[in-house]
Amino acid sequence: LGARLVDILSTPSDSGDWILPNLEGFAVQGFRDVSGHEVLKLVRARGAAKGVQQIRYVKIADCFSLDGEVYTQLSQAVDVFRVY
């Protein structure tokens, strides 16, 4: 569900509506299939889209497949980025 959930939140529906258009924070914990690249895609997609809030806060906890390359990119893309 982890990576799939991030995919769903990263794109508008066929009608052009976004799921949770006012979402400003995103936190994941214990997802084994989330590398961080999916979260970066989510942040960038919502930041570039119209009619949807930009993600400003990201918290990732206990995601052991998190790719170290995305740490810097995520910290630059959002106001608050935390990894636990």
Side-chain angles (χ1 to χ4, degrees):
L1 177 64
R4 180 69 184 129
L5 174 63
V6 178
D7 273 347
I8 290 168
L9 294 172
S10 296
T11 56
S13 67
D14 292 338
S15 67
D17 296 328
W18 286 81
I19 295 175
L20 301 173
N22 296 320
L23 183 69
E24 291 185 12
F26 186 74
V28 293
Q29 181 172 354
F31 285 176
R32 295 180 182 191
D33 61 341
V34 171
S35 68
H37 294 279
E38 306 88 346
V39 178
L40 184 59
K41 177 185 168 189
L42 165 69
V43 168
R44 288 180 173 165
R46 286 185 168 244
K50 294 185 184 201
V52 66
Q53 291 292 326
Q54 182 176 351
I55 301 292
R56 300 183 183 282
Y57 174 87
V58 172
K59 175 187 167 190
I60 300 175
D62 302 325
C63 294
F64 301 108
S65 61
L66 190 63
D67 187 345
E69 289 181 14
V70 298
Y71 278 65
T72 303
Q73 294 172 5
L74 277 170
S75 66
Q76 293 171 350
V78 297
D79 295 337
V80 179
F81 175 59
R82 302 282 186 256
V83 177
Y84 299 94

